[in-house]
Amino acid sequence: MMEGTKDPVEAGGSASAPSAAGPGPTGRAARSAQRRALAGRYALLPLRLFLGVTFVYAGLDKLADSHYLAGKSDPLSFYAQTVAAKGGSPIGWALEPALHAPTVFGLLIAFGELAVGLGTLFGLIGRVAALGGALLSLTLFLTISWNVSPYYLGNDLPYLLAWTALLLAGTPYLSVDGYLARRAERDRERGLTEEAVRRRTVLDSGIAAVALGGGGLLAGSLTATFVRRKPKPAGTPSPAQGGAKVSVAVADVPVGGSATVKDPSSGDAVYIVQPTAGQYCGLSSICTHAGCTVDPPKNGQLSCPCHGSRFDAGTGAVLNGPAVKPLPKYTVTKDGDRLDLGAVQS
Ligand code: FES
């Protein structure tokens, strides 16, 4: 059915009123048909809300993360994640520009997610928003999720297919697109030419897009300015130990918390943790499932954001798959008020 045209459901059942009004089997059948039509019409609404909220959240979360745009020196940055993804990706060559201008591309992705999410939630130029979401998900599938095995554990492929459904259906109901389509229908009925109707629709879509884009830009900028999380204290080389070793102040590693240092030989991030008072060790931040960076310890566990593996913060052991191998563990020795990173134990 075309957007903006009245069907029996939209018209409150008036098209089937003679039979719907009656109490007999025919009336029940009509009401049942109406309910099915209503369910069919809004079938994609939950998916649209989920994708919209998720992409708005993903964009704002990146902008609030102090690691995201920190650059080469931070192993949790967009740059470091791109380097890690480049090796095993079939489109690794296409990531080269992002490595030359990581701040620009990092911001483009964060604000792109925000724009896609808002466009989807408001149903403004819904197919364009869905196309943007599909392209972002395709890129993530070919980079971050590409080496995930089996393939169905990679979460970007389901996102890509979910966006495809919205790309095909658009956002004709409970949306700006729907409102403009119904208004265009009324304009035609009152005799406006097709050209005038089209011009009015395009103009108002553009105005709404600029307003929504401005709101997104403002929300993103405010988030980056005022909500940005404080970075975890990073380890600094101990001057007394020369270049190869790294250490952190004991005070930087609270019980249950961590400080991040870099393995001098691999360049990978290592969390120095204190799972129980006075007990220290180092755990690699590289997930043994498919190489994503696991989050710092929380509630005695390290979680991988890619496919949900969880590791024990005291031993690195797998608590929950799909990873099967523990996180590599490093010795850590206490030297006065410093903690020195030692060799890999496992
Ligand atoms: S990379 Fe898959 S769970 Fe970590």
Side-chain angles (χ1 to χ4, degrees):
M1 179 170 298
M2 293 286 292
E3 287 178 356
T5 57
K6 279 193 163 61
D7 61 13
V9 175
E10 195 174 20
S14 59
S16 54
S19 54
T26 311
R28 276 202 299 277
R31 283 195 296 277
S32 170
Q34 279 180 23
R35 279 196 293 273
R36 281 199 298 276
L38 196 65
R41 168 188 286 189
Y42 294 114
L44 286 181
L45 195 57
L47 183 65
R48 182 178 137 205
L49 288 175
F50 171 75
L51 290 172
V53 168
T54 301
F55 269 60
V56 166
Y57 176 76
L60 292 179
D61 193 49
K62 286 181 177 63
L63 293 169
D65 184 354
S66 57
H67 294 287
Y68 182 62
L69 297 176
K72 299 180 184 181
S73 59
D74 191 322
L76 302 178
S77 65
F78 168 76
Y79 179 89
Q81 302 267 357
T82 306
V83 169
K86 187 169 176 277
S89 166
I91 58 163
W93 52 271
L95 301 181
E96 210 50 57
L99 295 178
H100 286 300
T103 303
V104 173
F105 277 83
L107 285 174
L108 274 177
I109 289 175
F111 278 103
E113 286 178 338
L114 194 52
V116 162
L118 287 174
T120 304
L121 279 178
F122 283 84
L124 174 62
I125 327 177
R127 282 199 170 90
V128 175
L131 179 63
L135 289 176
L136 280 168
S137 297
L138 178 64
T139 304
L140 292 172
F141 170 61
L142 292 174
T143 50
I144 305 293
S145 294
W146 184 255
N147 291 310
V148 174
S149 177
Y151 74 94
Y152 53 75
L153 292 176
N155 56 7
D156 296 304
L157 187 57
Y159 274 108
L160 174 59
L161 297 176
W163 281 117
T164 306
L166 279 193
L167 187 58
L168 294 172
T171 52
Y173 303 115
L174 297 179
S175 62
V176 178
D177 288 349
Y179 166 77
L180 291 176
R182 285 191 295 280
R183 196 191 62 180
E185 195 64 29
R186 289 197 298 273
D187 285 348
R188 283 186 199 98
E189 284 168 10
R190 66 188 177 93
L192 253 62
T193 64
E194 197 53 38
E195 175 60 22
V197 171
R198 198 185 64 81
R199 201 172 332 114
R200 193 168 181 229
T201 303
V202 169
L203 183 68
D204 287 350
S205 291
I207 292 171
V210 168
L212 198 58
L217 211 55
L218 182 65
S221 304
L222 290 175
T223 301
T225 306
F226 297 111
V227 191
R228 186 168 286 206
R229 296 185 285 273
K230 258 182 88 185
K232 282 271 176 190
T236 49
S238 165
Q241 293 173 320
K245 278 193 175 179
V246 291
S247 68
V248 291
V250 172
D252 285 345
V253 187
V255 177
S258 70
T260 309
V261 297
K262 225 181 206 181
D263 181 328
S265 57
S266 68
D268 291 337
V270 176
Y271 295 124
I272 293 187
V273 299
Q274 187 184 184
T276 56
Q279 182 204 348
Y280 298 96
C281 70
L283 294 173
S284 170
S285 69
I286 306 303
C287 181
T288 53
H289 175 233
C292 288
T293 301
V294 299
D295 292 329
K298 198 174 168 191
N299 300 327
Q301 301 179 0
L302 298 96
S303 301
C304 179
C306 289
H307 316 107
S309 289
R310 287 185 287 113
F311 303 86
D312 186 285
T315 63
V318 176
L319 298 174
N320 188 58
V324 290
K325 288 201 308 193
L327 293 174
K329 191 176 176 188
Y330 295 69
T331 55
V332 168
T333 50
K334 189 162 178 269
D335 183 9
D337 64 348
R338 308 286 300 177
L339 295 169
D340 298 332
L341 184 71
V344 184
Q345 293 175 307
S346 57

